[in-house]
C-alpha cells in the first residue's frame, strides 16, 4: 500500500463532480467537502482503487457514493455497483443516502438487500433491473447462489466499515463474494481502523490502491474548558435549551455549530420561537449580511449565532464565551477550529460537544488528536435552571441597590406600608415579583403523566419518544403496535410524526395492553419510551415542518402528519348537507 499525496480541493466542483451532483449537494446544504471526500472523490472518479480510513460522521458515505453515481451508465439496466455493509441498518441508511444523492441524475435504481427482508420482494426488484445494490454479505451470497444477482456488469465494489465486518465475522463471506466478481473492477475499502486482517483483504483484492488517510495538520489546541454531553438526536434541542437556560450569562455570546446550512436555519428558527435573539450564519450570506450579523453580535443585540464550519471561519468576536457543537464536526481538525472561536483575547472560554451514541468513536478520535480528555458532563437539570434564574435575578436586584435614584421610590413604599399594614420585606417581595415579570423563578418539575387526554371518541393519545429525525415512518409505528401489543392495525388511529416525537391514537380498550407490551420496544433503533401523551406535550407541539431535506440518511418526509385512510374526514356529501 502506498501513501501518496492526493489533489485536494476546497469545493465539490473542484473535485470533478458533475452538475447534477453539485446541484443536489447544494440543495442538501453541504458547503464544502469533508477531508475524506477531498481525498477520495478525485481518486475514485479517476477509477483508482482506494483505501479510505474514515468512520461514521466523516462524510464517508458521500465520499464513495458520489463518484460511484457519476460513473454509472444509466442506459445500462444492470447492477453496476455493489456496496457491502456489516449491518442491515447501515445498508438501509447507505441506500437512502445514495438515493438522495442521485436525485438529479435521472432514475437511478438502488436496492437495499439484507436478511430479514422478504426475499421475494428483493427478487422482483432485481428482475426489474437495479443499478446499485447495497447489502449485507449473507443475503447477497444467497442471491448469488440462486443466480438471482448477476455480477457481470459490475464496475465498482465498496466495502463499507470493513473492520466492523471483521468484528461480526463476515470477512470470509466478503472474500467469497469478491471471488465471484469480475476481475476488472474498481474496489474501495472504507474502515475506521486497519487491523491486519483488513489490510490482508486490501492487499489481496485491491489493485494498486491509493490510501486516503486524512493526515492531520498539527495545530495548537486552545485552552478552553471542554465538556461532552451525551444525547440522542431526538433530545438535542431539549438539551440545548436546558444548557442555555442553566449556564448562559447576560452579556455573553454563544456560538453554536450545526452541520449543514439547513440544520443551521432550522435550529435558528426553533430557538427564535423560544425567544432567543438568534442569527443564522452560513455560506449563503453575502459579505454585507455577514458583517451585519457580526456587528449586532458585538453590540450585544444578538446573543446566539448558529453557524456552519465554513461560515464561522475567521470569526473573531471577543464576546463569544461559549461554543456549542450541536452537531459533532466531521473531523478533529474542525473541532479545534470551532472551539478556537471562544477564549479570544485571552478570555476564558467553554466548549460543549453533543455526542450521539453513534458518534462515540469520533469523540475518542478528537480526544486522541487534541491529546486532551473531554470531560463527560451531565445535562443540567430543571433544578439547575431554577437556581440559575434565582441567581441572575438576585444579581439584578443587587445591581439596582447600587443605583442612586432609589430615593425617589422610598416615600412611595412608605405609603404602601402604611396603607397595607405590611412590613417592608413583604413589600420588597411584591416589588420583586412585579419587576421579575412572568418568567417563573421556580421551574416546574415535569408533571407525571396523570391525565390521559382522549384524542377522539374512545381513543387515547400516546406519546413515543422518536420522530422524523430518527427516521420514524407511519409503518414503523403501526408495525410496532400491531406486532408487540397485538392491536389490529386497522384499529390504530391518527399518527402524527414530529421531528423528535410521535403521537399515536389507540382505542381506549387497548391502551393498557399497548403500554405494558411496549415498555422495552425500540422503534428505528430508539427506545420508544411510550407513555400517555399529556396536555403539556400537546401544547408544546411545534409548528409542523417537513423534515429530511438535509438528511440523506433520513426519510424523505412530507410536512403533513399521517392519518390512516379510515380516519380521514369524509368530504361533505349529498343531500342537504352543506358546510356552514
Ligand atoms: P457519514 O460519515 O457518511 O455517516 O456522514 C455523516 C453525516 O454528514 C451525514 O448526515 C451526511 O449527510 C453529512 N455530510 C456528508 N458530507 C457532508 C458535507 N460535505 N458537508 C456537510 N454535511 C455532510
Amino acid at each position: 500500500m502506498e501513501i501518496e499525496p492526493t489533489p485536494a480541493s476546497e469545493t465539490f466542483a473542484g473535485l470533478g463532480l458533475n452538475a447534477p451532483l453539485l446541484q443536489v449537494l447544494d440543495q442538501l446544504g453541504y458547503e464544502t467537502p469533508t477531508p475524506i471526500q477531498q481525498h477520495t472523490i478525485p481518486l475514485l472518479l479517476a477509477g483508482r482503487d482506494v483505501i479510505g480510513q474514515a468512520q461514521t460522521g466523516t462524510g464517508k458515505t458521500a465520499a464513495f457514493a458520489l463518484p460511484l453515481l457519476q460513473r454509472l451508465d444509466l442506459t445500462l439496466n444492470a447492477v453496476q455497483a455493489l456496496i457491502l455493509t456489516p449491518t442491515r441498518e447501515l445498508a438501509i441508511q447507505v441506500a437512502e443516502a445514495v438515493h438522495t444523492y442521485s436525485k438529479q441524475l435521472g432514475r437511478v435504481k438502488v436496492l437495499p438487500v439484507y436478511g430479514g427482508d422478504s426475499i421475494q420482494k428483493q427478487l422482483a426488484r432485481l428482475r426489474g433491473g437495479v443499478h446499485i445494490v447495497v447489502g449485507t454479505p449473507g443475503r447477497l451470497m444467497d442471491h448469488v447462489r440462486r443466480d438471482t444477482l448477476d455480477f457481470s456488469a459490475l464496475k465498482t465494489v465498496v466495502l463499507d466499515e470493513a473492520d466492523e465486518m471483521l468484528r461480526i465475522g463476515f470477512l470470509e463471506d466478503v472474500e467469497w463474494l469478491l471471488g465471484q466478481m469480475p476481475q476488472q473492477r474498481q474496489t474501495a475499502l472504507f474502515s475506521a481502523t486497519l487491523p491486519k486482517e483488513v489490510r490482508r483483504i486490501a492487499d489481496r483484492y485491491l489493485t494498486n490502491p491509493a490510501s486516503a488517510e486524512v493526515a492531520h495538520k498539527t495545530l495548537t489546541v486552545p485552552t478552553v474548558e471542554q465538556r461532552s454531553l451525551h444525547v440522542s438526536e431526538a433530545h438535542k434541542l431539549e438539551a440545548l435549551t436546558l444548557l442555555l437556560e442553566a449556564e448562559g450569562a447576560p452579556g455573553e455570546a454563544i456560538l453554536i455549530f450545526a452541520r449543514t446550512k439547513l440544520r443551521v436555519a432550522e435550529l435558528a428558527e426553533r430557538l427564535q420561537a423560544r425567544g432567543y435573539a438568534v442569527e443564522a450564519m452560513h455560506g449563503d450570506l453575502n459579505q454585507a449580511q455577514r458583517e451585519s450579523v457580526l456587528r449586532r453580535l458585538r453590540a450585544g443585540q444578538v446573543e446566539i449565532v448558529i453557524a456552519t464550519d465554513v461560515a464561522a471561519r475567521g470569526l473573531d468576536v471577543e464576546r463569544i464565551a461559549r461554543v456549542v457543537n450541536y452537531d459533532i464536526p466531521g473531523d478533529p481538525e474542525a473541532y479545534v477550529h470551532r472551539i478556537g472561536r471562544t477564549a479570544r483575547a485571552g478570555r476564558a472560554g467553554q466548549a460543549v460537544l453533543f455526542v450521539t451514541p453513534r458518534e462515540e468513536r469520533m469523540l475518542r478520535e478528537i480526544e486522541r488528536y487534541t491529546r486532551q480528555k473531554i470531560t463527560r458532563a451531565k445535562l443540567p437539570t430543571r433544578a439547575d435552571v431554577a437556581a440559575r434564574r434565582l441567581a441572575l435575578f438576585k444579581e439584578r436586584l443587587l445591581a439596582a441597590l447600587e443605583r442612586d435614584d432609589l430615593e425617589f421610590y422610598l416615600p412611595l413604599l412608605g405609603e404602601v406600608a402604611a396603607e397595607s399594614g405590611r412590613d417592608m420585606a413583604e413589600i420588597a417581595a411584591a416589588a420583586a415579583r412585579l419587576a421579575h415579570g412572568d418568567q417563573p423563578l421556580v421551574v416546574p418539575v415535569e408533571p407525571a403523566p396523570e391525565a390521559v387526554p382522549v384524542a377522539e371518541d374512545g381513543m387515547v393519545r400516546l406519546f413515543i419518544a422518536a420522530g422524523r429525525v430518527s427516521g420514524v415512518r407511519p409503518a414503523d409505528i403501526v408495525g410496532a403496535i400491531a406486532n408487540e401489543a397485538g392491536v389490529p392495525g386497522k384499529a390504530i388511529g391518527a399518527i402524527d410524526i414530529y421531528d423528535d416525537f410521535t403521537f399515536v391514537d389507540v382505542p381506549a380498550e387497548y391502551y393498557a395492553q399497548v403500554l405494558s407490551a411496549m415498555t422495552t420496544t425500540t422503534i428505528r433503533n430508539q427506545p420508544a419510551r411510550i407513555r400517555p401523551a399529556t396536555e403539556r406535550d400537546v401544547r408544546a407541539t411545534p409548528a409542523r415542518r417537513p423534515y429530511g431535506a438535509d438528511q440523506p440518511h433520513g426519510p424523505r418526509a412530507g410536512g403533513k402528519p399521517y392519518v390512516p385512510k379510515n380516519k380521514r374526514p369524509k368530504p361533505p356529501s349529498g343531500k342537504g348537507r352543506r358546510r356552514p
Side-chain angles (χ1 to χ4, degrees):
M1 185 170 39
E2 62 190 279
I3 303 225
E4 53 189 79
T6 48
S9 170
E10 289 269 301
T11 66
F12 283 109
L15 298 178
L17 292 172
N18 64 20
L21 292 174
L22 294 177
Q23 200 181 336
V24 172
L25 295 173
D26 185 52
Q27 286 162 357
L28 290 173
Y30 294 6
E31 294 183 323
T32 49
T34 63
I36 191 73
Q37 291 164 357
Q38 291 183 12
H39 286 77
T40 49
I41 289 175
L43 290 163
L44 289 172
L45 283 176
R48 289 286 302 269
D49 281 7
V50 165
I51 299 172
Q53 196 173 349
Q55 70 253 347
T56 305
T58 53
K60 69 177 163 66
T61 314
F64 60 73
L66 297 168
L68 175 155
L69 284 166
Q70 183 154 330
R71 285 162 54 85
L72 217 56
D73 176 1
L74 283 181
T75 61
L76 187 65
N77 198 18
V79 178
Q80 298 168 48
L82 179 72
I83 302 165
L84 286 170
T85 66
T87 63
R88 65 178 253 179
E89 284 73 30
L90 190 61
I92 297 170
Q93 270 184 26
V94 169
E96 282 182 355
V98 173
H99 176 82
T100 304
Y101 296 136
S102 76
K103 277 195 177 147
Q104 302 292 335
L105 287 172
R107 197 162 135 62
V108 175
K109 289 179 279 182
V110 186
L111 179 65
V113 166
Y114 47 86
D117 191 26
S118 146
I119 197 152
Q120 293 309 327
K121 208 173 76 196
Q122 292 172 359
L123 286 176
R125 290 272 323 261
L126 283 168
R127 263 186 239 116
V130 168
H131 299 114
I132 303 169
V133 170
V134 188
T136 50
R139 180 55 68 89
L140 287 169
M141 286 169 75
D142 283 350
H143 280 291
V144 174
R145 289 208 184 98
R146 285 168 180 237
D147 251 348
T148 46
L149 181 58
D150 175 13
F151 283 158
S152 57
L154 198 67
K155 280 194 293 206
T156 303
V157 184
V158 178
L159 309 182
D160 193 11
E161 301 197 353
D163 52 353
E164 277 299 295
M165 300 221 236
L166 167 73
R167 204 178 58 78
I168 306 180
F170 277 160
L171 270 201
E172 253 176 56
D173 297 354
V174 170
E175 290 200 67
W176 186 88
L177 283 165
L178 287 167
Q180 309 296 312
M181 297 174 191
Q183 296 266 323
Q184 276 298 324
R185 56 149 206 270
Q186 177 181 44
T187 309
L189 181 150
F190 283 81
S191 196
T193 56
L194 294 175
K196 70 172 187 308
E197 293 86 341
V198 170
R199 282 179 196 277
R200 189 180 59 78
I201 298 275
D203 288 344
R204 187 137 175 220
Y205 295 95
L206 274 60
T207 312
N208 183 27
S211 175
E213 191 184 355
V214 180
H216 296 299
K217 293 179 217 113
T218 17
L219 280 167
T220 5
V221 180
T223 44
V224 173
E225 188 196 322
Q226 301 167 55
R227 287 176 297 161
S228 64
L229 276 181
H230 298 253
V231 286
S232 69
E233 185 60 45
H235 287 104
K236 277 185 177 178
L237 184 64
E238 191 193 330
L240 178 64
T241 347
L242 280 173
L243 193 71
L244 294 176
E245 276 269 346
E247 299 187 359
E252 281 183 357
I254 298 174
L255 178 61
I256 302 178
F257 283 95
R259 193 170 267 264
T260 64
K261 56 187 166 198
L262 293 185
R263 279 179 69 84
V264 165
E266 189 174 86
L267 185 57
E269 205 174 285
R270 288 166 151 205
L271 289 181
Q272 262 152 14
R274 284 168 164 73
Y276 291 99
V278 183
E279 285 287 348
M281 207 152 131
H282 48 67
D284 282 356
L285 297 192
N286 61 32
Q287 196 52 31
Q289 290 168 318
R290 192 182 144 91
E291 267 157 24
S292 142
V293 173
L294 289 180
R295 212 170 28 247
R296 276 174 298 148
L297 182 64
R298 288 200 177 95
Q301 290 156 338
V302 168
E303 39 181 349
I304 300 175
V305 170
I306 307 178
T308 55
D309 289 295
V310 178
R313 254 182 218 166
L315 195 87
D316 188 358
V317 175
E318 266 185 38
R319 277 186 65 232
I320 299 175
R322 210 174 285 272
V323 166
V324 178
N325 295 273
Y326 190 76
D327 292 329
I328 202 166
D331 65 304
E333 243 168 82
Y335 175 80
V336 175
H337 283 295
R338 284 179 176 190
I339 67 169
R341 299 300 112 215
T342 179
R344 309 303 287 179
R347 290 184 169 202
Q350 292 208 20
V352 177
L353 173 63
F354 282 14
V355 182
T356 67
R358 284 177 62 85
E359 293 161 350
E360 295 285 338
R361 214 205 279 250
M362 179 53 94
L363 169 64
R364 288 198 294 276
E365 185 89 347
I366 291 172
E367 292 186 322
R368 228 187 352 258
Y369 175 62
T370 57
R371 297 206 183 89
Q372 282 179 15
K373 194 108 193 84
I374 299 176
T375 321
R376 273 181 172 253
K378 280 218 190 68
L379 206 59
T381 61
R382 291 189 154 67
D384 295 333
V385 171
R388 179 84 193 143
R389 284 186 187 168
L390 274 172
L392 287 178
F393 186 56
K394 194 168 134 194
E395 266 174 38
R396 279 177 58 204
L397 281 179
L398 287 170
L401 277 177
E402 299 300 312
R403 295 176 55 144
D404 45 19
D405 57 357
L406 292 183
E407 316 281 275
F408 176 78
Y409 294 94
L410 288 175
L412 178 70
L413 293 181
E415 276 170 40
V416 174
E419 278 171 36
S420 66
R422 304 291 193 97
D423 61 38
M424 274 300 177
E426 281 176 302
I427 293 165
R433 172 73 192 76
L434 268 182
H436 185 257
D438 281 336
Q439 188 199 40
L441 274 174
V442 181
V443 186
V445 181
E446 192 91 58
E450 10 48 72
V452 181
V454 172
E456 47 173 283
D457 287 349
M459 303 292 272
V460 170
R461 179 153 297 176
L462 298 177
F463 175 99
I464 294 174
R468 266 184 208 141
V469 176
S470 334
V472 171
R473 294 168 224 201
D476 300 319
I477 305 289
V478 174
I481 296 180
N483 296 334
E484 307 271 299
V487 175
K490 279 208 306 285
I492 299 168
I495 299 177
D496 282 9
I497 303 181
Y498 292 91
D499 284 353
D500 303 329
F501 59 88
T502 299
F503 288 144
V504 54
D505 295 351
V506 297
E509 68 261 35
Y510 289 114
Y511 151 68
Q513 184 177 330
V514 171
L515 286 189
S516 70
M518 295 186 55
T519 45
T520 56
T521 303
T522 56
I523 292 180
R524 292 245 142 199
N525 275 334
Q526 292 236 133
R529 287 198 265 143
I530 192 161
R531 60 166 172 78
T534 61
E535 292 293 355
R536 204 181 132 101
D537 295 330
V538 179
R539 273 202 313 274
T541 303
R544 286 170 195 146
R545 44 178 288 121
Y547 173 85
D550 60 333
Q551 291 282 306
H553 296 181
R556 289 163 289 286
K560 285 219 183 89
Y562 168 85
V563 180
K565 265 213 178 93
N566 57 338
K567 305 286 173 196
R568 284 176 202 154
K570 294 204 178 48
S573 66
K575 304 165 200 147
R577 285 198 144 215
R578 305 168 105 233
R579 264 196 246 264

